[in-house]
Amino acid sequence: MALRTVLKQVTKTGASLRLLHISAATSKVSPTWETTAPGWHFELTKEHGFMPTKPILRELPSQFEHVERLLQEMPIHKPDGSPGLLATGDFGAAVDKGLPLYDVSRVTDPVLLSALFRDYSFLAAAYVLEPCHISMTETGNFCAARPVLPESIAVPLDTLGQKLDNAPFLDYAHGYALNNSYKIDPNGGFTMDNMRTLRKFHGGDDEQGFILIHTAMVAHSGGLVTAGCNAVEAASKGDIDGLSDALEHHARTWAQLFNTFSGMWHASSPKGYLQFRTFIMGQKGNDDIFPEGTTFKGVSDEPRRFRGETGAQDSMVPATDNLLQIDYSHNKLTEYLWELRSYRPKDHRAYIKWLAEASREYKVRDLAMSRTITALGVLRNLDFIQQMRNQHWQMTRRYIIDNTKYPKATGGTPITTWLPNNLFSTLEYMQTVIHNIDSKVASDPLNASDVEAYADIKHRAMSRLSTLEKEVIDLQSDFDERQELEEFETRQH
């Protein structure tokens, strides 16, 4: 129906209804998520969330036998306990001598495409970073990485990256974690005792535990996607009860995620993390390791730089940020956050973008802030985000800062300021929601159990806000390289 006809029909019913129809008729964002990658391995669905839609491919077809054989021989500790090529320092030579240039341009099967991307990205990371791992093991310091990726890896990896619309280097979803974990019992769940990792650099339990905890977390993400879609749909209809239910569902899912994440302390030890950390570094931000970037031989003579593999490439937190409309500080540290959002599967990027646009279009935050119970629903979700970010920060201190003075995270971000910058933005938003609830609670009271939950969340937020900045400042003297402290200290919205 034309807008003019709609306006004519509703004029008699009053201004509020007229504005409602104008909004609906001129809206450019659908209140319903629609995939941009139907049939892809990482198609975003409510059932699978951010996980692959099908089981991963655990062995490459015979026409790629040399890739499969190299990956079997690569780990520092092979499954039979013998030392692999990375243990002896012979991996690079084995690639140069024995890996042919395979043509992957005709591959169309989504599962095989993702498997090949995973495997070539493992080969690429191992090839360029092998000398750095040896140097770190022997001297405690990194040397420069190999500056040139051989044609036998570079050309297929670049082709696969183009086919998948993915940066051609090891990432979180297609590469190291989600597309690298499989279930022992196909009918069982993605639980720690029912999963194993396929490709490894070190091959020990700490590396496997590190990968599987991340996969077990994301296995819950279908709940986040379902609740996020339901929240937008409810807001588009002005259905505050539906929005309340969606926010509650979203928070319950985050409770499961946080409980799983807390298992990292037992699944992967701080000392063990350094055994494989080198191999997930990227070029961008790690200039000491990659002073010349990486030249993809046979693709381009121009060196290339990509962010390293990092949990910050996961899609659950940015999707939640966008649903709840968290406002981040305008500084260089936040620019890293936006850049890392591009290192995700195509459909994940599209969903995160849609969620940001739809949440603002249908005023999810405004509707939620209109009642104390729905504002508390927002606060519950923010509380889990701050707990996740705080625990990530505590793990960074224990796993990395206590064991090495290299000043950058694997994604190339400053080790002492980037995570706290994101945590601070979450805590500051929590303050805004708390003020909103305090201003309404006299006329719109919470029930007794909600009052208790609110008091606990409020106490956690205020306590964490009071100590975080001092922690960051106290750590600066441990690092020679600038950590962009002034960006952290001058956060402006």
Side-chain angles (χ1 to χ4, degrees), residues 205-273:
D205 291 341
D206 287 310
E207 183 178 22
Q208 176 159 269
F210 179 80
I211 294 170
L212 293 184
I213 281 288
H214 286 93
T215 304
M217 288 167 56
V218 181
H220 295 295
S221 63
L224 295 183
V225 173
T226 298
C229 290
N230 290 346
V232 170
E233 183 178 1
S236 73
K237 299 173 181 177
D239 178 6
I240 198 159
D241 291 333
L243 178 59
S244 181
D245 290 343
L247 290 172
E248 177 63 28
H249 182 190
H250 205 271
R252 287 198 307 271
T253 305
W254 267 116
Q256 296 174 310
L257 281 159
F258 182 71
N259 183 61
T260 302
F261 187 40
S262 298
M264 181 67 80
W265 299 103
H266 303 289
S268 184
S269 70
K271 290 289 185 182
Y273 178 57

